[in-house]
Amino acid sequence: MSRIGVFVCHCGLNIAKTVRVSELAEFAATLPDVVIARDYKFMCSTPGQEMIQHDIKEYNLDRVIVTACSPLMHEKTFRKVIENAGLNQYLLTIVNIREQVSWVTSDVEEGTAKSKALLNGAVYRARLLAPLTSRVIDVNPDVMVIGAGIAGIQAALELANTGKKVYLVEKNSTIGGHMAQFDKTFPTLDCSACILTPKMDNVLQHKNITMLTYCEVTEVKGYVGNFDITIKQKARYVDHSKCNACLACTEKCPGKGVSEWDESLVKRKAIYIPFPQAVPQKPIIDKNSCTFFLKGKCRLCEKVCEQKAIDFEQQDTFIDVKVGAIIVAIGFDLMDTKPLVQYGYGKYPGVYNSLEVERLFNSAGPTAGKVTLRDGKEPKSIAILHCIGSRDKNYSEHCSRVCCMYSLKFAHLFKEKTSADVYQLYIDMRAAGKGYEEFYNRLSEENVKFIRGKGARVTESTEEPGRLIVEAEDTITSKFMKIPVDMVVLSPAIVPRAESRDIARLLNLSTDKQGFFMERHPKLAPLSTMSEGIFIAGVCQGPKDIPDTVAQALGAAAEALTIVVNDKMELEATTAMVNPASCCGCQNCVRVCPYGAPAFNYEKRVSEINEALCKGCGLCASVCPSSAIIARHFTNDQILAEMEGLMEF
Amino acid sequence: MTDFKKIEEKLKTEAKRLLESGEVTVVLCYGKGFDESHPMPYAAKAVADVDNIVFNEYCNYNMARYLVRYPQGTKIAIAVKAADSRAVIVLIQEEKVKRENLVILGIPVQGMKNPKTGEVIDSKTTCGMNNPVLFDILLGEEVHGPKVASPYDVLAEYEKMDKDVRWEFWVKELDKCIRCYACRKACPMCYCDPCFIDQSKPKWADKAPQSAGNMMYHLTRFHHLAGRCIDCGECSRACPVDIPLYLFHKKVAKDCEEMFNQQAGMSMDDKLVLVNFRVEDSDKILE
Amino acid sequence: MSFEPRILGIACNWCTYTGADLAGTTRLHYPQNVRVVRVMCSSRINPSFIFRAFQLGADGVLVGGCHPGDCHYNTGNLYARRRLATTKKILEFAGLEPGRLRVEWISASEGNKFAEVVEAFTTQIKNLGPQTKLKIPQ
């Protein structure tokens, strides 16, 4: 038997004009279990609140019903009111007779009748309410950032500057990501390395950042505030604690591997650092091109190393790290354009993709910044093809957002560094960012030949051996064009990294149709995911330029901070729970939960819900065939009772 | 025409082999009943049990209903007809049983009979398929030839009915229900223990076999089986008061097929329709 | 005395309930026959709730949730759509008038849609008359 107090608010005349509030209170007093029923002008005012608190004590109330405005307005207010009077905050029900009654009718009879029905429903429900306590868990103050490109670096620095300890995990042997490969960045033509390398150095020097390069995440256990992560430190065969980065080993090494950093345009040594400003500066050995690993001979590096840092016996090691929040910033790949055979990438030596061209422009690249083809000659005529694989139903439906701008950049740089004719074949010119349209306008004065038509095909010229012919339709003049060029630059679609599927699996992240990580809400929560405590930033969330990437990285740092800034966090109280005695083991709940909160215990053969992950939506409770799941505060009993009360009069 | 004797012999041979070698610890099949037309569900556990195995045109029981009653990991051989094999697939989809723990003895058959009425059982009261969808060993020759009638043809008459007449029909039928729950016991997919109707929190319906409670029980059960019922018809044959439950189950199966483009128990790779969604699902299904 | 339907409304907190509140703040008027139960997500609705609603005498049941793709809990309403569709088909085959159960996607910004839907549904139920088939006689 409950002791219910009903408090009906006039809200001035807002409610009282259309609902006979005193009659409503009198009606409430007639209902079973209602011990006291009052009406008052402004229930949310201080005297109103005090009235409720006084009655709770005087009448020993164990349930409170406030009949007033919408719960979306004042549920939190009145929860605090009753909590301060010693009652659990979940023993409150709000009946909405303002937004959903008095404001939407002028018929007093109708309004009063409906209010009575709603109140009756609330009384039925209130009888079955149960006190709930939010569980409080400890929160680990550290954060892990996976991916050390510009997004990861920026997020790590931001968090480290607040005093938080950050683990920055990078699968390559250097941090910097793709941005470190670029030459100049649009639209200001800043030197990419000049703006990035100071940040990379900050990361190296920062006392709060633990840089874990050449590492991969292999297992993630736990939940928000308490993630338990296993990281594999891949064998470098160089002991970085001894190495002093003199790089003598790299001079003598006879081994030859293909340079990943230079997009396979040139070879590198087997013991190497990817580029001169790599952080850390210490080399690694690539087993697949090392003469010792392949043939058992050489060991020259070991001989010249004064620090005795070479260690051919080194194994992969595993590190366990505990953190409170995770930021994923693993960046992107360019789509492999070989399957689009019509463009001849991989077939004709004169066809390049955009990252390869960045390396050509880069003064530390394979051609020391000169624009020369693979045979060393300077191209006399260059075609830049937009949208290769992007905006394409057969490959990537999305627009890759940055290619128009970097293609314009390339046109400008080609004009600056060569005397070549430059043809720009585009579908639309997407120049939406700050200074972008102005940059595009500058280009029109640089004698770049813009052709509004997607490059259709690249073939070998039959008339001039070694030259290529680019075919397209100029849709403005409606003319078919065949342009003889020496060099073709493709702008391939930006696609998620191949590893993103593994990361998604490890962290229980969803990916969208294109494979990019899915945000919790496309507009209102672009950096959080459905996995509480795990955030995303940068191109791994979707193609974007550097300013937007940095903005997201800073935002993700703030998001992560909201988790780890406190040493304790309160979990949602209105979570779901499985009654194991009733669970039939169908696993419906496990299949449907968007948050992965239920998990099947294969030994006990019942489902168990991790309350740290549960958001209280109730989907599991409704798909449970044996009614084994208790969706706290919205139990089957409570809802059925409310329905009974609503339909009684 | 199906050679029942030949199938029975093959069934006995396989059962003996499987039990002798220890490949399985139990063979779910059919055994001698009090007469020819009333065989019993049978679990052969020892080689000596094999002598009791029978197979004839009255062996309608869906033996898949017994799969969940053995501890996980038990190696089981099971004799299945077409619909029964589909039930096995649904149980595998729901992870109630593992494929590698089963040896499925498929029985292609035509001409099963209802012992109560003597009538041939066809697509009017079952799924109408003749050949098992999943099996390890086939105990007879696949049935080919006559076109299989749609299992939904029988619904035409009821779909055409005026809704008030149809309502009266169902009230009359479901009022007969004595809440014996034989339908539940006979169904391979009804493995929940406790069943929702057994719960007191919330009390979905009174225990007494009255109209309102019967309606709540059956309507909810039709929903719980949506996309899972494989149309074996056993529930209706088990019903002591002959309620044509198969009609409703068929209608729900037909609707699910139309709305979600999927039939229950046809492929282990399918996802169960009511705990799944496709982004392409249309709002049209709500009209 | 003309028939005043008693309609059960089930509204999801984040979209439909908020949209209903918006109708209120905008002072849009609509008939007062719909009595709303607030749930966190349309996916909370167990089909058996709907059977029970009709047994309790509801003349109509109106379910409101977020637009598919916009669910606050990501995918809740996508499951709800399938489950409510099957529920509707079951009630129809049983012989209940098809128009008595209606599912609408009403977002938090669609106050006028809420008012319009309530108006239209109330008229629809008035035309169908009292629901007597599933209602348990008192």
Side-chain angles (χ1 to χ4, degrees):
Chain A
M1 292 289 98
S2 349
R3 297 182 63 79
I4 303 176
V6 177
F7 301 90
V8 181
C9 184
H10 297 212
C11 194
L13 280 175
N14 275 308
I15 295 176
K17 200 171 74 158
T18 329
V19 175
R20 290 193 290 266
V21 282
S22 308
E23 191 181 304
L24 198 55
E26 278 161 25
F27 164 75
T30 64
L31 300 174
D33 298 315
V34 174
V35 161
I36 177 75
R38 286 191 206 284
D39 60 280
Y40 184 64
K41 270 209 161 20
F42 293 105
M43 216 43 98
C44 55
S45 66
T46 309
Q49 294 185 19
E50 283 172 355
M51 173 197 297
I52 297 175
Q53 290 172 326
H54 168 266
D55 280 352
I56 289 174
K57 295 199 180 81
E58 166 108 9
Y59 293 94
N60 212 5
L61 301 178
D62 59 17
R63 304 282 186 280
V64 169
I65 297 178
V66 175
T67 312
C69 54
S70 171
L72 299 178
M73 192 85 206
H74 275 314
E75 187 172 55
K76 279 201 171 58
T77 316
F78 288 111
R79 274 187 179 166
K80 278 205 184 58
V81 167
I82 71 172
E83 197 175 46
N84 290 337
L87 216 52
N88 182 288
Q89 55 171 321
Y90 290 95
L91 296 172
L92 168 79
T93 298
I94 308 268
V95 183
N96 183 342
I97 58 170
R98 190 182 73 171
E99 281 86 338
Q100 294 192 15
V101 182
S102 71
W103 276 354
V104 289
T105 185
S106 49
D107 184 328
V108 181
E109 291 308 320
E110 264 195 357
T112 310
K114 181 170 162 186
S115 302
K116 285 183 180 166
L118 292 175
L119 183 46
N120 197 35
V123 170
Y124 268 75
R125 182 159 187 260
R127 290 189 192 112
L128 298 178
L129 289 174
L132 301 176
T133 35
S134 313
R135 225 177 53 162
V136 172
I137 54 168
D138 287 325
V139 174
N140 185 303
D142 303 339
V143 180
M144 173 169 292
V145 177
I146 303 176
I150 179 62
I153 289 172
Q154 189 66 68
L157 283 172
E158 198 74 358
L159 280 164
N161 286 339
T162 66
K164 292 294 166 193
K165 195 149 166 273
V166 181
Y167 295 94
L168 182 56
V169 180
E170 168 57 49
K171 77 164 197 314
N172 283 327
S173 58
T174 176
I175 63 175
H178 281 306
M179 188 177 167
Q181 289 177 292
F182 300 162
D183 174 43
K184 301 215 171 10
T185 55
F186 58 78
T188 48
L189 300 176
D190 283 303
C191 151
S192 184
C194 306
I195 54 180
L196 181 60
T197 47
K199 286 197 196 282
M200 287 164 61
D201 192 58
N202 283 351
V203 165
L204 180 66
Q205 307 292 351
H206 210 298
K207 65 174 174 21
N208 287 338
I209 301 181
T210 304
M211 219 172 44
L212 294 163
T213 53
Y214 216 50
C215 283
E216 279 170 18
V217 175
T218 54
E219 200 181 355
V220 178
K221 289 205 285 262
Y223 48 89
V224 60
N226 296 279
F227 290 110
D228 196 343
I229 305 173
T230 309
I231 297 171
K232 179 169 78 172
Q233 167 69 69
K234 297 181 281 192
R236 299 179 177 111
Y237 309 108
V238 176
D239 185 341
H240 277 206
S241 62
K242 295 197 186 128
C243 171
N244 66 359
C246 71
L247 299 180
C249 50
T250 62
E251 285 162 40
K252 301 288 179 187
C253 174
K256 288 226 185 306
V258 176
S259 170
E260 298 87 351
W261 192 258
D262 280 319
E263 297 297 316
S264 309
L265 290 174
V266 91
K267 293 232 192 309
R268 55 148 173 80
K269 303 289 176 96
I271 186 168
Y272 69 105
I273 57 169
F275 69 111
Q277 293 90 12
V279 170
Q281 274 271 296
K282 304 180 182 180
I284 64 164
I285 297 179
D286 166 27
K287 246 168 80 165
N288 299 326
S289 46
C290 167
T291 314
F292 170 70
F293 279 110
L294 292 173
K295 299 192 190 133
K297 299 192 212 139
C298 184
R299 301 179 86 130
L300 260 172
C301 49
E302 200 179 30
K303 295 191 186 97
V304 303
C305 180
E306 284 176 1
Q307 304 296 112
K308 304 266 180 279
I310 306 292
D311 177 6
F312 290 111
E313 308 295 308
Q314 208 181 66
Q315 301 291 321
D316 292 342
T317 52
F318 290 88
I319 315 165
D320 265 318
V321 170
K322 288 191 179 31
V323 296
I326 303 173
I327 298 177
V328 181
I330 62 172
F332 66 97
D333 272 332
L334 283 186
M335 178 188 145
D336 178 11
T337 47
K338 271 209 212 70
L340 285 84
V341 293
Q342 66 269 38
Y343 298 112
Y345 179 75
K347 187 168 164 207
Y348 306 128
V351 179
Y352 293 78
N353 74 22
S354 44
L355 266 177
E356 289 167 347
V357 171
E358 288 284 355
R359 294 312 299 158
L360 290 181
F361 281 129
N362 196 305
S363 53
T367 58
K370 286 214 210 9
V371 179
T372 50
L373 300 168
R374 289 176 226 260
D375 57 6
K377 295 207 185 75
E378 209 190 77
K380 299 239 179 9
S381 147
I382 306 167
I384 305 174
L385 271 52
H386 292 218
C387 301
I388 303 305
S390 298
R391 303 180 67 187
D392 188 338
K393 266 202 282 272
N394 303 313
Y395 297 99
S396 293
E397 266 191 69
H398 63 273
C399 164
S400 296
R401 201 150 153 185
V402 293
C403 335
C404 279
M405 287 311 298
Y406 72 56
S407 298
L408 289 173
K409 174 185 77 175
F410 287 162
H412 171 83
L413 292 172
F414 281 133
K415 278 300 190 191
E416 204 179 71
K417 295 196 170 194
T418 71
S419 49
D421 286 328
V422 178
Y423 298 91
Q424 193 110 10
L425 282 76
Y426 68 99
I427 307 176
D428 294 294
M429 201 52 87
R430 295 190 160 169
K434 242 181 166 173
Y436 290 10
E437 185 68 18
E438 294 87 327
F439 186 74
Y440 175 31
N441 284 330
R442 258 175 70 186
L443 258 299
S444 58
E445 290 155 26
E446 293 184 18
N447 201 18
V448 172
K449 300 184 190 357
F450 286 100
I451 297 166
R452 193 185 180 285
K454 181 172 163 177
R457 207 163 56 151
V458 175
T459 50
E460 265 183 312
S461 168
T462 44
E463 289 161 30
E464 299 167 279
R467 281 203 116 187
L468 298 167
I469 305 284
V470 174
E471 295 174 45
E473 180 196 354
D474 183 339
T475 56
I476 293 179
T477 59
S478 301
K479 284 204 173 67
F480 281 104
M481 312 200 62
K482 283 189 170 181
I483 311 166
V485 296
D486 303 308
M487 182 180 189
V488 174
V489 178
L490 303 175
S491 303
I494 286 186
V495 295
R497 283 206 193 260
E499 297 88 351
S500 58
R501 250 189 261 130
D502 294 326
I503 297 281
R505 192 185 33 88
L506 282 170
L507 297 171
N508 202 18
L509 299 180
S510 323
T511 54
D512 64 18
K513 246 190 355 186
Q514 312 295 338
F516 295 105
F517 292 127
M518 198 135 95
E519 57 285 295
R520 186 174 279 206
H521 193 284
K523 294 181 189 62
L524 303 176
L527 304 177
S528 38
T529 62
M530 297 309 278
S531 303
E532 185 90 12
I534 302 180
F535 306 97
I536 49 180
V539 184
C540 66
Q541 184 256 358
K544 54 179 67 70
D545 52 23
I546 294 170
D548 285 349
T549 299
V550 171
Q552 281 205 341
L554 297 171
E559 290 265 46
L561 201 54
T562 61
I563 305 281
V564 298
V565 70
N566 299 310
D567 54 359
K568 287 200 197 295
M569 77 183 268
E570 231 180 60
L571 298 176
E572 181 83 53
T574 56
T575 50
M577 186 188 116
V578 177
N579 175 1
S582 295
C583 175
C584 69
C586 73
Q587 295 193 51
N588 276 355
C589 54
V590 177
R591 288 184 189 105
V592 299
C593 178
Y595 305 96
F600 195 62
N601 183 324
Y602 282 91
E603 266 141 78
K604 296 193 191 141
R605 314 257 355 132
V606 295
S607 287
E608 290 166 342
I609 295 179
N610 180 346
E611 284 168 38
L613 301 177
C614 175
K615 295 258 151 268
C617 69
L619 172 54
C620 55
S622 97
V623 301
C624 176
S626 23
S627 305
I629 295 186
I630 300 160
R632 293 189 182 91
H633 210 57
F634 293 94
T635 64
N636 289 322
D637 264 340
Q638 288 162 357
I639 296 176
L640 288 169
E642 187 173 350
M643 282 166 44
E644 196 177 333
L646 289 176
M647 290 293 130
E648 195 176 1
F649 297 107
Chain B
M1 269 315 296
T2 304
D3 189 339
F4 289 97
K5 266 283 160 239
K6 206 154 161 222
I7 293 176
E8 184 182 293
E9 271 158 38
K10 188 108 196 281
L11 176 55
K12 281 171 139 163
T13 315
E14 289 300 326
K16 185 154 181 277
R17 179 183 68 79
L18 289 163
L19 286 168
E20 248 172 10
S21 65
E23 196 177 329
V24 302
T25 49
V26 58
V27 180
L28 294 171
C29 50
Y30 308 95
K32 293 200 183 91
F34 64 83
D35 72 11
E36 263 265 331
S37 49
H38 295 90
M40 298 291 282
Y42 193 60
K45 296 202 182 109
V47 175
D49 294 339
V50 173
D51 290 329
N52 296 326
I53 296 179
V54 299
F55 188 74
N56 62 34
E57 64 269 37
Y58 297 105
C59 288
N60 296 311
Y61 301 116
N62 187 338
M63 295 310 289
R65 79 175 80 144
Y66 298 105
L67 284 174
V68 298
R69 302 188 198 173
Y70 291 90
Q72 278 280 325
T74 313
K75 301 275 189 228
I76 305 172
I78 176 170
V80 293
K81 306 180 290 298
D84 311 341
S85 69
R86 289 171 64 183
V88 174
I89 290 179
V90 177
L91 289 172
I92 293 172
Q93 287 170 344
E94 299 185 344
E95 291 187 69
K96 277 316 228 174
V97 77
K98 284 209 176 97
R99 176 68 182 96
E100 55 263 28
N101 293 336
L102 298 177
V103 177
I104 305 175
L105 307 169
I107 304 178
V109 70
Q110 197 183 31
M112 297 302 288
K113 286 202 185 129
N114 185 332
K116 262 193 228 173
T117 61
E119 281 172 357
V120 169
I121 294 173
D122 60 12
S123 65
K124 286 208 273 293
T125 55
T126 45
C127 71
M129 289 167 65
N130 296 119
N131 300 312
V133 177
L134 180 69
F135 56 85
D136 290 309
I137 302 164
L138 218 49
L139 298 181
E141 268 171 37
E142 282 200 351
V143 176
H144 295 294
K147 183 173 178 296
V148 176
S150 162
Y152 307 133
D153 282 348
V154 64
L155 294 170
E157 180 195 340
Y158 295 90
E159 285 167 323
K160 274 204 248 20
M161 262 184 201
D162 173 66
K163 57 176 154 40
D164 296 331
V165 174
R166 199 166 58 229
W167 171 255
E168 287 308 319
F169 168 77
W170 282 114
V171 168
K172 188 170 116 278
E173 289 297 334
L174 295 176
D175 271 358
K176 294 189 309 197
C177 176
I178 59 174
R179 303 277 281 279
C180 67
Y181 303 115
C183 49
R184 197 175 68 181
K185 211 61 174 176
C187 177
M189 260 48 92
C190 277
Y191 50 70
C192 294
D193 185 10
C195 169
F196 77 96
I197 203 72
D198 298 328
Q199 296 283 29
S200 54
K201 247 175 121 54
K203 194 171 84 161
W204 292 105
D206 283 332
K207 300 281 184 188
Q210 284 169 341
S211 200
N214 293 357
M215 207 40 99
M216 176 62 92
Y217 169 66
H218 285 288
L219 289 180
T220 304
R221 188 165 170 272
F222 295 144
H223 196 276
H224 283 187
L225 285 166
R228 303 168 69 222
C229 166
I230 38 76
D231 209 1
C232 68
E234 272 295 288
C235 52
S236 318
R237 282 190 286 277
C239 177
V241 293
D242 295 321
I243 301 171
L245 297 168
Y246 63 87
L247 281 176
F248 220 116
H249 287 297
K250 275 175 186 289
K251 179 68 169 80
V252 176
K254 180 180 179 197
D255 287 334
C256 283
E257 201 178 319
E258 274 165 16
M259 292 193 290
F260 313 125
N261 218 6
Q262 208 175 302
Q263 273 184 307
M266 293 306 278
S267 159
M268 283 191 285
D269 298 325
D270 279 341
K271 289 206 179 117
L272 302 153
V273 290
L274 286 192
V275 282
N276 188 31
F277 64 86
R278 290 203 194 96
V279 180
E280 313 86 75
D281 282 346
S282 153
D283 280 344
K284 273 192 162 340
I285 62 183
L286 291 167
E287 274 155 30
Chain C
M1 174 97 154
S2 67
F3 161 55
E4 280 302 330
R6 251 184 258 166
I7 299 172
L8 178 71
I10 313 180
C12 94
N13 180 60
W14 305 97
C15 284
T16 306
Y17 196 90
T18 311
D21 276 358
L22 178 61
T25 47
T26 330
R27 308 295 196 278
L28 299 170
H29 283 202
Y30 52 81
Q32 293 299 291
N33 303 74
V34 178
R35 296 145 186 214
V36 172
V37 172
R38 175 176 156 236
V39 291
M40 277 298 137
C41 179
S42 53
S43 64
R44 178 70 190 89
I45 302 165
N46 191 327
S48 307
F49 290 166
I50 299 178
F51 302 145
R52 172 64 69 88
F54 286 120
Q55 287 187 327
L56 289 168
D59 299 304
V61 174
L62 177 62
V63 174
C66 306
H67 287 263
D70 286 347
C71 179
H72 182 85
Y73 302 98
N74 203 28
T75 47
N77 58 0
L78 298 175
Y79 294 104
R81 174 163 55 186
R82 284 198 169 194
R83 300 175 70 78
L84 292 166
T86 348
T87 308
K88 207 162 186 294
K89 296 273 191 279
I90 289 175
L91 286 168
E92 273 168 42
F93 191 60
L96 193 69
E97 293 83 358
R100 292 204 187 269
L101 170 59
R102 182 156 162 178
V103 179
E104 283 288 343
W105 310 122
I106 301 171
S107 78
S109 60
E110 291 178 309
N112 40 8
K113 183 170 178 191
F114 182 82
E116 279 161 22
V117 167
V118 171
E119 176 96 47
F121 191 56
T122 310
T123 309
Q124 190 176 331
I125 299 295
K126 275 198 177 135
N127 292 336
L128 284 171
Q131 188 266 121
T132 52
K133 289 175 174 165
L134 274 166
K135 178 175 179 177
I136 301 174
Q138 293 306 348

